[in-house]
Amino acid sequence: MTRHGAGGGVRRPGARAAIVCALAAALLTGCAQSVDPIERMGRKAAQKVRRPDPPPAAGAPAPDVHRRWGLAAPLAPAPRPHRVLAARAPGTVPPVIDHVPTRDKVVFLTFDDGAERDPRFVDMVRELRLPISMFLADSAAATGYDHFGQLRRLGAQVENHSLTHPFLPGRGYVDQHAEICGQQTRLKSRFGAAPRLFRPPYGDYDADTLRAAGDCGIDAIVLWRASMQINDLRYADGDRLRPGDIILAHFRGPAELKGTTLTEMTSRMLRRVQEQGFTVARLEDYV
Ligand SMILES: [Zn+2]
């Protein structure tokens, strides 16, 4: 179907809003080799892991903990963030971003959908103090909100990825408003705060998406400029990361990653980031 699905990204350029920012990244296939988690949801039982949440530890990670997660060196602390998103003027739609304008050698990790709930990933986020943003679709993540709540208590941010993960362009304002606002309501009632960011399924949107997102209280539409495959990053253009890149990854497990676990995939992603002299920062600290 489209980007998050099993095939390449067939796009409908006519559905695009004219106000798109430069979005070569939207041409990336974030998930070309995998089964769409949405499709397998019916098969996958909720893997609820009920353990007490340890409090987020303060300060730097324990020495050598990076080795446990396959990293040669600790993740460098992110530089002091600077806000880049201006307040939206009344009557305007949210901006579409695929990167953050910054000279800092930082990139931002985003994980989509929510079908895979690997308890080891909670350990990884806690031990590495990993800042991540989670774009949750209710149809994929709903049975795992306890799991994502654990991650949220470790500092992971919960963001909106629609109720049912449809291809939005052409569906009209009312439908899109229901998809976006519906998930705002679900996430707010579950986690106590409504998301500020929205990622349209497959990275596809039209003018109604932007208008509906704005009316639902969304501050920015978040796409990506690099995407993590099973082993390597794929870039929107060029062959390496650039400062401020937003990286797309998915909550996926061995069934979709040819035997690779979510933590192994994340470890590879972090190595690619470190090899290029970057570290990871929290997207919400900048936008
Ligand atoms: Zn998705």
Side-chain angles (χ1 to χ4, degrees):
M1 211 171 77
T2 43
R3 251 183 305 291
H4 290 206
V10 178
R11 303 178 62 77
R12 299 181 199 169
R16 278 264 159 177
I19 53 177
V20 296
C21 64
L23 288 175
L27 295 171
L28 289 178
T29 57
C31 359
Q33 298 169 21
S34 298
V35 174
D36 190 332
I38 304 293
E39 291 171 11
R40 71 185 179 91
M41 268 185 355
R43 293 186 264 134
K44 189 170 180 74
Q47 298 172 354
K48 288 194 175 180
V49 180
R50 294 197 175 274
R51 312 192 271 185
D53 295 316
D64 291 339
V65 73
H66 56 279
R67 294 189 206 287
R68 193 181 313 166
W69 298 105
L71 305 182
L75 282 172
R80 193 183 183 83
H82 51 93
R83 309 289 281 190
V84 298
L85 200 63
R88 185 154 52 94
T92 62
V93 297
V96 180
I97 60 171
D98 60 5
H99 73 285
V100 167
T102 179
R103 291 181 181 166
D104 295 345
K105 291 209 78 177
V106 295
V107 293
F108 305 96
L109 305 186
T110 64
F111 289 77
D112 280 14
D113 301 339
E116 174 73 10
R117 302 90 191 234
D118 183 345
R120 289 275 291 160
F121 188 70
V122 179
D123 296 336
M124 185 181 207
V125 167
R126 180 176 55 247
E127 292 182 12
L128 292 176
R129 315 282 195 272
L130 201 57
I132 63 168
S133 304
M134 309 185 290
F135 287 84
L136 302 180
D138 191 68
S139 53
T143 55
Y145 281 153
D146 285 354
H147 172 80
F148 298 108
Q150 284 187 309
L151 289 165
R152 184 173 182 271
R153 286 188 287 278
L154 296 172
Q157 303 290 303
V158 172
E159 305 295 359
N160 188 333
H161 193 41
S162 82
L163 270 181
T164 67
H165 206 278
F167 181 83
L168 289 174
R171 292 178 73 98
Y173 174 85
V174 172
D175 260 23
Q176 297 196 49
H177 186 273
E179 280 286 340
I180 301 168
C181 278
Q183 182 63 337
Q184 289 290 94
T185 302
R186 290 274 173 91
L187 294 174
K188 183 177 183 186
S189 71
R190 185 60 182 77
F191 297 108
R196 292 179 45 238
L197 307 178
F198 174 66
R199 173 170 286 156
Y202 318 107
D204 284 305
Y205 61 94
D206 63 10
D208 284 332
T209 316
L210 303 183
R211 200 156 58 87
D215 291 345
C216 295
I218 294 295
D219 290 337
I221 309 294
V222 177
L223 303 184
W224 58 90
R225 208 157 66 170
S227 65
M228 185 61 194
Q229 311 300 306
I230 295 174
N231 294 302
D232 284 301
L233 288 166
R234 182 179 297 175
Y235 306 97
D237 63 279
D239 58 1
R240 54 188 297 108
L241 292 167
R242 288 173 286 173
D245 275 358
I246 295 169
I247 301 177
L248 168 69
H250 291 84
F251 289 110
R252 288 186 170 153
E256 300 93 353
L257 299 177
K258 298 184 176 174
T260 297
T261 65
L262 178 61
T263 59
E264 288 167 344
M265 183 273 288
T266 304
S267 173
R268 290 172 191 164
M269 177 163 59
L270 293 172
R271 289 204 294 273
R272 304 293 169 264
V273 167
Q274 289 184 308
E275 286 161 8
Q276 299 182 49
F278 285 81
T279 193
V280 291
R282 189 180 316 285
L283 179 61
E284 288 78 359
D285 288 343
Y286 284 75
V287 298

